Amino acid sequence: MNTDAYYKRIKSLFRPEQLRLKRAIVVGAGSGGSRVATELGRLGLPLTLIDLPGEKLEEHNILRHELGYASLGKSKVEELARHIHNLNPETPITCAELDVAMDRVEFKRLIQSQQPDILIAATDNYESKHILNEDAMAFGLPVVGAGVYDGGIAGECYITRPGGACFACLVTHLQLQDLAPKRSARDIDYSNLELKELQSTAALNLDIAQIALIQSRVVLNLLLDGATDLIGVPPEVNLIVFANRRVPGHFERPLHAEFIHFDRVPDCLVCSSQCASEIDREASRIIGALNS
Ligand SMILES: [Zn+2]
């Protein structure tokens, strides 16, 4: 790989070495996560890719996934790493098959070993995002998450930072679940394909990719930390809602983004100072147990 030639067209925007000492953990290697990981990985950002144990690319994934038929029946995270390495052979990538909702100790162990600068929530349900939120608060990590509303009409990209509004605060304000697909992690039987299909968000690839690119941009902006501003909105913005199309009553303008800031909810059960310190103590206890 000729690094100078490879990065030639972006060198006026930022220096690739600004990303080489950072790391992002991407939770979810589905249609959104695969796209975010690819966009960031091609720029050389070290990545840790996580998806559910045994999660393989199936034919119904391909219409909306970064991977294609060559990866059919193969591990999503392993194939995604191969795909990214085809675009940038020098990107450091670690793969893990892990259910972050079910195996929280292992997820904490992974965070501790990988030392990420940011968590990327690319799962397709609110329950796992709540769990990521709690772990991010405990480790003092920012999270950039995204979701596509049912029908692909729009999507959201949220940013949480230590000390600011957490995901639970944002959800309390917005009740965006009303527009998200209805499901419960407890109800999902990952071995039951038919049920999984029923619970999958109906959306086109172009609906999902639009939101995933916004998510990628936000992650990049945070990691570049002011060296290059790829968005140009105030840093306190913690929610971007993008309308893919006009939906009277919900979104009056198509292809339009709203930039929103929400304060912390004072009595938020996750990030209020009392609870946060309790979570910190719990994280310390678990880390202590892991090290002993
Ligand atoms: Zn909160």
Side-chain angles (χ1 to χ4, degrees):
M1 179 176 175
N2 180 334
T3 305
D4 285 341
Y6 180 82
Y7 289 110
K8 187 176 178 182
R9 299 295 183 200
I10 67 156
K11 68 178 182 186
S12 63
L13 297 172
F14 63 86
R15 291 179 291 110
E17 54 268 31
Q18 287 173 269
L19 295 178
R20 281 188 202 137
L21 294 177
K22 311 273 187 180
R23 177 172 287 271
I25 291 185
V26 184
V27 181
S31 47
S34 67
R35 213 147 252 116
V36 174
T38 300
E39 284 309 312
L40 298 172
R42 75 197 309 159
L43 292 171
L45 174 70
L47 296 171
T48 305
L49 307 176
I50 301 179
D51 209 333
L52 294 169
E55 188 74 3
K56 294 183 169 40
L57 191 79
E58 298 182 44
E59 191 155 13
H60 64 89
N61 296 136
I62 293 175
L63 181 67
R64 314 192 304 184
H65 205 278
E66 191 74 15
L67 299 173
Y69 274 98
S71 301
L72 185 63
K74 299 177 184 171
S75 159
K76 278 185 186 172
V77 284
E78 297 289 344
E79 285 297 289
L80 186 55
R82 189 190 54 75
H83 172 68
I84 294 168
H85 279 149
N86 188 42
L87 299 170
N88 188 338
E90 294 186 349
T91 300
I93 302 177
T94 302
C95 295
E97 295 198 352
L98 174 67
D99 186 334
V100 299
M102 298 297 288
D103 198 346
R104 298 190 63 180
V105 170
E106 189 56 37
F107 184 49
K108 286 183 170 70
R109 196 196 299 265
L110 191 72
I111 292 174
Q112 196 193 23
S113 68
Q114 296 290 294
Q115 295 285 307
D117 297 276
I118 196 165
L119 301 182
I120 298 173
T123 59
D124 58 359
N125 63 82
Y126 270 77
E127 285 74 11
S128 61
K129 286 174 181 166
H130 278 292
I131 286 165
L132 273 180
N133 183 47
E134 290 176 14
D135 290 338
M137 289 289 129
F139 281 93
L141 290 169
V143 178
V144 177
V148 175
Y149 302 156
D150 218 4
I153 57 172
E156 66 199 7
C157 175
Y158 65 88
I159 305 110
T160 65
R161 300 176 179 85
C166 77
F167 179 68
C169 296
L170 297 178
V171 167
T172 304
H173 270 299
L174 291 172
Q175 300 184 321
L176 288 173
Q177 304 102 309
D178 292 348
L179 288 167
K182 303 288 185 291
R183 67 173 71 185
S184 160
R186 287 181 299 279
D187 298 337
I188 296 176
D189 173 4
Y190 287 105
S191 64
N192 186 332
L193 182 63
E194 231 176 73
L195 178 62
K196 194 171 153 189
E197 275 297 88
L198 281 173
Q199 290 170 322
S200 186
T201 313
L204 295 174
N205 178 53
L206 53 85
D207 296 323
I208 296 166
Q210 193 92 34
I211 306 306
L213 287 177
I214 292 172
Q215 187 179 16
S216 307
R217 181 181 292 271
V218 169
V219 171
L220 207 51
N221 222 46
L222 281 175
L223 292 176
L224 290 172
D225 197 22
T228 301
D229 189 345
L230 298 169
I231 305 179
V233 297
E236 58 267 28
V237 166
N238 52 10
L239 184 81
I240 300 172
V241 177
F242 187 89
N244 281 325
R245 50 187 174 274
R246 181 172 175 266
V247 180
H250 288 300
F251 304 106
E252 299 305 329
R253 297 179 66 187
L255 301 176
H256 176 72
E258 295 287 346
F259 302 94
I260 305 158
H261 165 77
F262 283 112
D263 287 324
R264 282 170 65 180
V265 174
D267 58 351
C268 172
L269 290 174
V270 179
C271 70
S272 67
S273 55
Q274 189 182 358
C275 289
S277 61
E278 281 170 15
I279 291 169
D280 276 340
R281 280 196 294 277
E282 174 66 4
S284 302
R285 190 189 64 73
I286 291 168
I287 290 167
L290 292 175
N291 286 333
S292 60

